[in-house]
C-alpha cells in the first residue's frame, strides 16, 4: 500500500468518529464517509446522452472522455466533474453568486462576502453574458449543465459529497439546486476578479498618502518598472511616465478605507496579493533537441483542497466542424472545456497580464443623487436595487445596492467603523471594472481549444474580455508566439486643462474624482492594438507577469468632423511584477541553450529553480557585517558559500528568510499602513534594491526608536541577531539543524470545513509538507514576511505557503505523448478517494507524470473504463 493511500484510510477512520454519534456504529460511519465515491468503471445510464461515451481514467484518476458529438462530450464532462468535485462546484457558484450564506450559514464572513458580491452584481453580468455568447457556446454550456444535473438531481446529498453530511450534523441541508449555464459563467467571473488589476494598488497608494502625507514619498514606494525592452514580454521598451497625483478631495479618506474593507471581504479562491501570478515560456525548435518547440507553464494560486485545477482529456471520436475537439489539459470544475493545455496542433498557456482594468472613483452623493459635473447642482439619480441574502439557519438580510455611471458603490456595503465615519460626509467610492461589462470570454476559451495557428490565437484573443491575460503558444509546425488579450479601458484621451480640473488626466494609479468627466473611461482598447509576438529572433518568449512592453494606440473623434481621428498612446498598466522571475527564466534558458539543445528535463529543471532575488540584493551586504559574539555569528556563518537557492533542506535559506522578514519590518513595514505593507513580493525586492547602496537612507531608520537614527549596517546586524534568537526558539539552538522546509510548509485547507473541529480538519485538509522556493523565485511559493500574518490553517507560522504553483506542465510539440504534467494534490474532491492527494508528493518534490495524448497512449495508460450509455 502506498503511503498516500494509507494516510487516506487513516483519515477515513477519523471521519467515521465524527459521524459515529449520529449514525450509531463505526461500520455505518465508515460507509457514510465512503458513500459519495463515484463509479469509475463499468456502465452507467445517463439522461440526455445521444450516443455512448467512453471515460478512460489513468492511475491518478485523470479522465479522458471520448464522444461522438460535442453535445455528448461536454455533457459527459459535466457528469464526470460532478462525480469528482460537485461540492467544490457548488461552493464556487454560491461564492460567485453572492449566495454563500445559503450554503454555509453565517460563518467565516459568508454574509459579508455575499453583500459585497451582490453589490458587484457578478451574477447579473453573467446572465447578460450568456445571451451574448455564440449559439454554439451556449449549447456547450447547456450540455455541460445537463451532464452535471444527470448526476446530481434526485441523488441524496450524502451520495454526492461527504461535506453535505458533515454540514448536516448542525442543520438541515437542502438538496443542491440544478446546475445552470449561468453558474459556469459566474464562476468564470470569480476567476476574472482574482486576476484583475489594479484597485489594490490604488487603495494602497491612497492609504499610504494618509499616513505619509507626501505624494513623492508614496511614489517612491511604488517605483516605476524597468524600461529596458529585454525585461518585457514583447521585447518593446516601456516608457517610464511621471506618475499622476492623488485625488485631492477632503473627506474621501474614510470612504476609501471602507471600500478597501468591503473588497477584502470577498473570498479569493485563486488567491490574492503579489503571490498570485504565473510563469510561462516557450522555446523555438531551433534551440531544442527535437527540433520542435517546447512550452512550459505553472500558474501560481492559493493553495486549497481540493485544488484549483482538474486534469482532463476531451476527444471527439471523429474530429469535424461539428465536433472539433481533441484537447487535453487543465480545466476548472464548474466550467466546461480546457483552459490551459494543448490540442493536436497547438499548445497554449494563460497568465495574468496585470493590465489596469479597475478604477476607484470618489463620488459626491446626496440623497441618492450623484454629482456628474463641476457644479454642485450637476446631479443625476443613482441606480438603486434591493437584494435579499438568505442565510442557512439564520435570518435573511436585506441589502440596498446603489450604483453610479462608473460602477457599484462599495464603500457603504458593510457596517465598519470606516464606513460609519464616511457616512458623515457626502463622499462614497464606486468601483469601475471591465469585468462588470458582459463579455465573450467563454467564446474565446472554446476557440483556443480548437486553434491551430497564430492567426486563430489572435482571433480568440480578441474575444477574451476578462480577465486580461498573456497567451503564450506553440504549434506543431514550429511556430512560437505571444498575444496580449483583455478588455482594457481607455482613460483620458485629451490633455486636461490644469486650470479647470483638480488633477492631470488619470493613469489609473490613483482613485479619481467621479464628478470630473476627464477621468471617465472612453471605451476599450482595440484588440488589434494589443501587443503580440511571433517567432522572435532570440528564439523564446517568457511571460511571468512582468510588463508587456510598449504602448497601445487609441483613437478619439476630432473636434472637427472633417479631421482625422485623434491618435493617443497609452500604457496598459503601471502596476506590473518587477520581472525578477522573468529575468531568471531568461538567464537559465540562455544557459541551457548555450550548453546544448533544450529538452523536457531542462524545462522541468527551470520550473523548479529556487534562486532568491532577495538574497541576490541583500546577501553581499550581510556577509560584510561583523558579529563579534560567536553565538550570534553562528547564523551568519551559514551564509558563507550559500548558493542563494531556497531549498527545503537548506539551513542558510531558513536563516536568510528570517533575516529578510526582519529587514522588511525595520525598513518599510514599520512606517506603512496595512494596505500598503510589503508582502515579500517583487516590489519588496525592488525597494530594498533601491536603498541597499545608500547606508544612510532614511528608510533604514527604525520608526520604533524615535531617539535613535539607525543606518543600514546597524539594521542588518540587528536583523541577523534577531533571526538567530527567533529561530533558536522556534527550531533549536544548533543552526546547522535548521531547515527552510521546517517552517516553509504547504498546508492545503478546505474552503468550507478547513477550520472545523479537529477530526473534520484531519479528513478534509491535506497534511503539511515542507517545501522550498520563495515568493520571487521561479518556484514561486509565497509567504507573508510579518509576525502578524495569519496564513489559513497555520496562524502561528508566517512562513507558511500562501500561494504556489497549482500545477506544472511541459508540452513537447515534437511528440505530444512525451509531454509531462502534475497537479497539486489530486483529481478527486472526495476525501475518501485515493486520488484526493495522490499527486501531492510528486508535486512537492518537483516531479512530473507522463501526459499521454494519442488514443493509443491513453488506452495503454488507462486503469479504469466507464461506458456512459443513453
Amino acid at each position: 500500500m502506498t503511503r498516500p493511500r494509507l494516510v487516506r484510510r487513516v483519515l477515513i477512520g477519523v471521519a467515521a468518529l465524527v459521524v459515529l454519534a449520529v449514525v450509531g456504529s463505526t461500520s455505518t460511519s465508515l460507509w457514510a464517509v465512503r458513500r459519495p465515491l463515484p463509479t469509475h468503471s463499468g456502465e452507467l445510464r445517463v439522461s440526455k446522452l445521444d450516443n455512448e461515451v467512453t471515460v478512460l481514467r489513468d492511475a491518478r484518476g485523470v479522465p479522458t472522455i471520448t464522444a461522438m458529438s460535442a453535445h455528448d462530450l461536454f455533457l459527459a464532462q459535466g457528469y464526470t466533474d460532478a462525480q469528482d468535485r460537485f461540492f467544490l462546484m457548488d461552493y464556487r457558484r454560491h461564492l460567485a453568486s453572492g449566495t454563500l450564506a445559503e450554503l454555509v450559514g453565517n460563518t467565516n464572513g459568508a454574509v459579508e462576502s455575499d453583500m459585497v458580491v451582490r453589490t458587484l452584481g457578478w451574477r447579473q453580468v453573467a446572465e447578460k453574458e450568456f445571451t451574448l455568447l455564440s449559439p454554439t457556446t451556449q449549447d456547450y454550456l447547456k450540455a455541460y449543465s445537463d451532464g452535471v444535473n444527470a448526476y446530481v438531481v434526485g441523488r441524496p446529498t450524502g451520495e454526492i459529497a461527504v461535506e453535505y453530511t458533515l454540514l448536516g450534523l448542525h442543520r438541515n441541508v437542502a438538496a443542491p439546486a440544478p446546475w445552470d449555464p449561468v453558474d459556469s459563467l459566474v464562476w468564470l467571473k470569480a476567476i476574472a476578479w482574482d486576476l484583475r488589476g489594479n484597485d489594490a494598488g490604488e487603495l494602497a497608494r491612497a492609504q499610504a498618502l494618509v499616513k505619509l502625507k507626501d505624494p513623492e514619498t508614496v511614489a517612491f514606494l511604488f517605483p516605476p518598472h524597468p524600461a529596458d525592452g529585454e525585461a518585457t514580454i514583447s521585447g518593446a521598451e516601456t516608457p517610464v511616465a511621471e506618475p499622476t497625483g492623488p485625488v485631492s478631495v477632503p473627506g474621501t479618506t474614510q470612504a476609501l478605507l471602507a471600500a478597501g474593507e468591503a473588497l477584502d471581504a470577498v473570498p479569493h479562491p485563486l488567491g490574492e496579493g503579489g503571490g498570485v501570478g504565473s510563469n510561462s515560456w516557450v522555446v523555438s525548435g531551433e534551440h531544442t533537441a527535437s527540433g520542435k518547440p517546447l512550452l512550459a507553464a505553472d500558474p501560481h494560486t492559493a493553495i486549497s483542497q481540493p485544488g484549483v485545477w482538474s486534469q482532463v482529456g476531451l476527444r471527439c471520436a471523429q474530429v469535424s466542424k461539428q465536433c472539433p475537439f481533441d484537447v487535453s489539459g487543465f480545466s476548472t470544475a464548474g466550467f466546461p472545456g480546457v483552459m490551459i493545455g494543448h490540442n493536436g496542433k497547438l499548445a497554449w498557456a494563460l497568465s495574468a497580464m496585470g493590465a489596469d482594468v479597475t478604477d476607484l472613483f470618489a463620488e459626491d452623493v446626496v440623497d441618492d443623487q450623484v454629482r456628474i459635473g463641476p457644479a454642485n447642482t450637476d446631479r443625476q439619480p443613482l441606480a438603486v436595487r434591493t437584494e435579499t441574502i438568505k442565510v442557512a439557519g439564520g435570518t435573511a438580510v436585506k441589502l440596498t445596492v446603489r450604483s453610479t455611471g462608473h460602477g457599484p458603490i462599495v464603500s457603504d456595503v458593510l457596517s465598519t467603523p470606516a464606513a460609519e465615519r464616511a457616512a458623515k460626509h457626502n463622499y462614497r467610492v464606486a468601483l469601475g471594472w471591465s469585468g462588470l461589462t458582459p463579455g465573450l470570454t467563454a467564446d474565446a476559451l472554446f476557440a483556443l481549444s480548437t486553434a491551430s495557428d497564430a492567426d486563430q490565437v489572435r482571433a480568440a484573443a480578441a474575444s477574451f474580455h476578462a480577465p486580461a491575460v498573456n497567451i503564450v503558444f506553440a504549434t506543431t509546425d514550429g511556430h512560437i508566439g505571444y498575444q496580449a488579450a483583455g478588455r482594457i479601458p481607455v482613460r483620458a484621451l485629451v490633455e486636461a486643462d490644469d486650470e479647470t480640473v483638480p488633477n492631470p488626466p488619470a493613469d489609473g494609479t490613483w482613485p479619481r474624482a467621479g464628478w470630473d468627466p476627464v477621468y471617465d473611461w472612453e471605451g476599450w482598447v482595440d484588440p488589434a492594438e494589443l501587443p503580440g509576438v511571433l517567432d522572435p529572433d532570440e528564439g523564446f518568449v517568457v511571460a511571468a507577469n512582468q510588463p508587456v512592453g510598449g504602448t497601445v494606440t487609441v483613437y478619439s473623434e476630432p473636434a472637427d468632423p472633417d479631421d482625422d481621428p485623434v491618435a493617443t498612446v497609452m500604457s496598459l498598466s503601471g502596476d506590473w511584477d518587477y520581472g525578477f522571475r522573468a529575468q531568471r527564466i531568461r538567464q537559465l534558458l540562455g544557459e541551457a541553450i548555450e550548453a546544448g539543445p533544450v529538452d523536457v528535463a531542462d524545462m522541468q529543471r527551470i520550473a523548479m529553480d529556487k534562486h532568491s532575488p532577495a538574497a541576490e540584493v541583500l546577501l553581499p551586504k550581510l556577509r560584510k557585517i561583523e558579529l563579534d559574539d560567536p553565538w550570534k555569528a553562528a547564523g551568519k556563518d551559514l551564509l558563507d558559500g550559500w548558493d542563494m537557492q531556497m531549498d527545503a533542506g537548506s539551513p542558510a535559506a531558513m536563516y536568510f528568510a528570517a533575516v529578510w522578514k526582519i529587514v522588511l519590518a525595520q525598513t518599510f513595514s514599520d512606517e506603512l499602513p496595512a494596505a500598503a505593507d510589503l508582502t515579500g513580493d517583487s516590489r519588496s525586492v525592488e525597494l530594498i534594491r533601491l536603498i541597499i547602496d545608500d547606508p544612510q537612507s532614511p528608510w533604514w531608520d527604525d520608526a520604533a526608536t524615535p531617539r535613535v537614527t539607525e543606518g543600514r549596517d546597524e539594521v542588518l546586524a540587528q536583523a541577523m541577531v534577531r533571526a538567530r534568537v527567533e529561530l533558536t526558539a522556534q527550531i533549536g539552538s544548533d543552526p546547522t539543524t535548521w531547515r527552510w522546509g521546517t517552517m516553509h510548509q504547504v498546508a492545503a485547507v478546505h474552503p468550507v470545513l478547513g477550520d472545523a473541529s479537529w477530526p473534520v480538519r484531519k479528513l478534509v485538509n491535506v497534511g503539511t509538507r515542507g517545501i522550498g522556493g520563495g515568493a520571487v523565485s521561479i518556484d514561486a511559493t509565497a509567504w507573508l514576511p510579518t509576525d502578524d500574518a495569519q496564513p489559513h490553517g497555520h496562524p502561528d507560522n508566517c512562513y507558511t505557503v500562501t500561494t504556489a504553483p497549482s500545477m506544472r506542465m511541459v508540452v513537447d510539440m515534437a511528440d505530444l505523448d512525451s509531454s509531462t504534467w502534475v497537479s497539486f494534490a489530486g483529481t478527486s474532491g472526495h476525501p475518501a478517494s485515493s486520488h484526493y492527494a495522490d499527486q501531492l508528493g510528486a508535486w512537492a518534490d518537483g516531479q512530473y507524470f507522463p501526459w499521454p495524448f494519442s488514443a493509443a497512449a491513453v488506452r495503454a495508460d488507462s486503469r479504469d473504463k466507464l461506458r456512459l450509455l443513453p
Side-chain angles (χ1 to χ4, degrees):
M1 182 187 304
T2 63
R3 180 174 177 80
R5 294 191 178 189
L6 174 61
V7 171
R8 297 316 309 159
R9 292 190 180 185
V10 171
L11 295 183
I12 291 166
V14 171
L17 299 177
V18 177
V19 294
L20 177 60
V22 177
V23 295
S25 72
T26 302
S27 60
T28 308
S29 302
L30 184 59
W31 169 81
V33 175
R34 295 185 58 84
R35 184 185 180 197
L37 293 180
T39 298
H40 284 172
S41 60
E43 296 180 356
L44 292 173
R45 295 284 175 180
V46 178
S47 63
K48 299 191 177 182
L49 267 183
D50 295 328
N51 294 285
E52 178 180 331
V53 174
T54 301
V55 183
L56 298 178
R57 291 183 183 262
D58 67 10
R60 290 161 296 284
V62 176
T64 296
I65 304 169
T66 305
M68 298 294 292
S69 67
H71 168 271
D72 284 357
L73 186 68
F74 291 116
L75 190 149
Q77 186 185 12
Y79 190 88
T80 56
D81 276 356
Q83 278 188 314
D84 291 345
R85 291 188 165 209
F86 182 77
F87 183 82
L88 178 64
M89 295 165 60
D90 199 18
Y91 166 77
R92 285 172 167 174
R93 66 168 166 176
H94 277 289
L95 182 155
S97 299
T99 58
L100 188 57
E102 290 185 25
L103 178 66
V104 303
N106 189 13
T107 60
N108 296 325
V111 171
E112 290 78 8
S113 169
D114 286 349
M115 293 173 69
V116 181
V117 171
R118 293 283 192 94
T119 297
L120 297 174
W122 293 351
R123 190 162 189 95
Q124 287 93 330
V125 178
E127 289 169 349
K128 294 175 182 176
E129 216 159 63
F130 182 76
T131 66
L132 300 178
L133 297 172
S134 72
T136 300
T137 297
Q138 292 182 8
D139 288 343
Y140 295 161
L141 292 167
K142 291 174 183 176
Y144 183 84
S145 298
D146 287 341
V148 175
N149 294 329
Y151 185 77
V152 172
V153 173
R155 191 179 296 267
T157 56
E159 290 184 10
I160 298 173
V162 72
E163 287 93 336
Y164 295 115
T165 300
L166 294 170
L167 289 173
L169 297 177
H170 303 286
R171 55 176 172 78
N172 292 329
V173 175
W179 194 265
D180 186 89
V182 174
D183 293 331
S184 296
L185 295 177
V186 79
W187 167 234
L188 195 60
K189 198 62 61 182
I191 293 174
W193 175 256
D194 276 356
L195 299 180
R196 74 197 187 283
N198 72 330
D199 56 286
E202 292 185 36
L203 285 168
R205 287 180 176 90
Q207 293 186 26
L209 182 63
V210 172
K211 185 170 184 178
L212 300 174
K213 311 301 181 185
D214 178 21
E216 290 187 5
T217 302
V218 175
F220 175 84
L221 293 170
F222 297 86
H225 295 73
D228 183 1
E230 184 176 307
T232 68
I233 299 174
S234 67
E237 293 188 0
T238 299
V240 179
E242 288 295 325
T244 57
V247 57
S248 302
V249 181
T252 59
T253 299
Q254 294 303 318
L256 288 167
L257 289 172
E261 291 170 342
L263 298 180
D264 284 345
V266 181
H268 297 276
L270 265 63
E272 60 181 323
V276 177
S278 295
N279 299 322
S280 55
W281 67 96
V282 61
V283 182
S284 168
E286 66 180 296
H287 297 311
T288 68
S290 69
K292 290 294 179 70
L294 294 170
L295 183 147
D298 53 278
H300 313 148
T301 68
I303 292 300
S304 61
Q305 183 61 12
V308 171
W309 303 104
S310 300
Q311 296 156 285
V312 67
L314 299 171
R315 170 161 288 154
C316 294
Q318 294 291 329
V319 176
S320 64
K321 184 177 181 180
Q322 291 72 32
C323 192
F325 296 96
D326 190 7
V327 61
S328 182
F330 294 86
S331 69
T332 178
F335 190 88
V338 168
M339 286 195 173
I340 298 175
H342 70 83
N343 56 39
K345 295 183 178 180
L346 180 135
W348 77 97
L350 307 177
S351 62
M353 189 204 300
D356 189 350
V357 297
T358 57
D359 273 337
L360 293 167
F361 295 90
E363 306 280 17
D364 182 349
V365 177
V366 177
D367 297 330
D368 284 344
Q369 297 277 323
V370 61
R371 181 179 161 197
I372 59 171
N376 191 48
T377 55
D378 294 337
R379 296 185 177 272
Q380 69 180 20
L382 295 169
V384 181
R385 71 177 191 273
T386 301
E387 300 272 354
T388 301
I389 298 172
K390 298 178 181 178
V391 182
T395 303
V397 176
K398 292 287 186 181
L399 173 70
T400 298
V401 177
R402 304 189 298 168
S403 299
T404 74
H406 299 117
I409 294 176
V410 295
S411 57
D412 56 5
V413 179
L414 304 181
S415 296
T416 65
E420 292 172 1
R421 289 191 294 268
K424 298 176 183 178
H425 302 275
N426 294 335
Y427 297 111
R428 303 292 182 268
V429 173
L431 173 71
W433 174 40
S434 63
L436 297 182
T437 299
L440 304 176
T441 302
D443 283 343
L445 286 168
F446 289 114
L448 274 176
S449 288
T450 59
S452 60
D453 57 33
D455 288 340
Q456 292 178 358
V457 170
R458 281 193 291 269
S463 297
F464 208 119
H465 290 153
V469 296
N470 301 308
I471 305 173
V472 171
F473 63 91
T475 64
T476 53
D477 62 0
H479 296 290
I480 66 171
Y482 162 80
Q483 181 61 51
R487 184 177 269 166
I488 317 297
V490 174
R491 300 175 177 87
L493 292 180
V494 183
E495 284 294 326
D497 182 350
D498 289 337
E499 296 180 358
T500 61
V501 294
N503 294 111
D507 61 1
T509 57
W510 291 88
R512 292 297 171 187
W515 54 89
D516 195 322
V518 76
Y519 302 127
D520 290 349
W521 292 357
E522 302 186 21
W524 311 106
V525 173
D526 185 344
E529 293 290 335
L530 293 176
V533 175
L534 183 63
D535 297 327
D537 291 339
E538 62 184 345
F540 59 84
V541 177
V542 176
N545 311 118
Q546 79 272 35
V548 171
T551 58
V552 295
T553 303
V554 294
Y555 298 89
S556 61
E557 294 299 322
D560 186 338
D562 294 331
D563 292 340
D564 292 332
V566 178
T568 308
V569 295
M570 59 171 275
S571 177
L572 294 175
S573 180
D575 288 322
W576 309 96
D577 183 276
Y578 284 87
F580 296 104
R581 281 184 287 114
Q583 288 292 67
R584 178 65 176 175
I585 294 171
R586 293 178 60 86
Q587 175 192 339
L588 295 180
L589 273 177
E591 293 173 358
I593 290 170
E594 185 176 354
V598 180
D599 58 18
V600 169
D602 290 322
M603 301 288 271
Q604 294 175 345
R605 176 179 54 80
I606 292 171
M608 295 308 300
D609 180 69
K610 297 171 175 59
H611 174 80
S612 169
E616 194 169 330
V617 170
L618 199 57
L619 191 59
K621 306 301 183 187
L622 293 177
R623 285 174 170 163
K624 293 180 180 179
I625 300 298
E626 295 292 336
L627 298 177
D628 296 333
D629 184 285
W631 186 88
K632 295 177 181 178
K636 175 180 175 293
D637 292 343
L638 297 173
L639 302 178
D640 294 337
W642 180 44
D643 60 2
M644 295 185 284
Q645 290 284 326
M646 300 296 289
D647 294 320
S650 169
M654 180 69 258
Y655 178 66
F656 176 79
V659 172
W660 174 246
K661 176 191 67 135
I662 296 164
V663 167
L664 291 181
Q666 292 189 237
T667 51
F668 294 98
S669 296
D670 61 339
E671 300 184 44
L672 299 179
D677 203 357
L678 300 186
T679 61
D681 61 1
S682 65
R683 182 168 70 97
S684 306
V685 179
E686 178 67 4
L687 285 172
I688 295 297
R689 188 187 71 81
L690 291 174
I691 67 171
I692 193 65
D693 290 326
D694 181 2
Q696 300 307 317
S697 166
W699 290 105
W700 293 113
D701 186 27
D702 189 350
T705 58
R707 296 184 179 181
V708 179
T709 300
E710 292 89 355
R712 180 196 63 201
D713 292 352
E714 187 173 2
V715 168
L716 298 184
Q718 291 174 356
M720 286 192 285
V721 173
R722 279 185 55 189
R724 169 54 154 135
V725 173
E726 288 182 7
L727 294 178
T728 296
Q730 291 171 324
I731 303 177
S733 60
D734 182 358
T736 63
T737 65
W738 298 344
R739 302 289 183 268
W740 177 220
T742 300
M743 302 297 289
H744 191 56
Q745 297 186 334
V746 60
V749 179
H750 193 280
V752 174
L753 299 173
D755 293 325
S757 61
W758 177 82
V760 175
R761 294 200 308 272
K762 284 295 183 181
L763 173 67
V764 300
N765 296 343
V766 173
T768 58
R769 280 177 177 263
I771 61 174
V776 196
S777 301
I778 298 176
D779 185 13
T781 57
W783 53 284
L784 295 174
T786 168
D787 291 328
D788 296 328
Q790 297 286 313
H792 196 191
H794 274 261
D796 57 342
N797 179 11
C798 74
Y799 302 104
T800 298
V801 177
T802 54
T803 58
S806 47
M807 65 81 158
R808 300 184 183 100
M809 73 177 196
V810 178
V811 184
D812 185 347
M813 304 308 292
D815 178 10
L816 293 171
D817 287 335
S818 296
S819 304
T820 61
W821 61 353
V822 66
S823 185
F824 178 81
T827 61
S828 177
H830 299 292
S833 170
S834 60
H835 302 309
Y836 191 63
D838 59 343
Q839 296 188 52
L840 178 59
W843 174 89
D845 293 339
Q847 298 174 2
Y848 291 68
F849 294 106
W851 184 0
F853 178 69
S854 68
V858 169
R859 284 194 301 269
D861 199 49
S862 65
R863 298 294 183 269
D864 293 296
K865 179 178 180 179
L866 178 65
R867 297 172 62 214
L868 303 180
L869 307 175

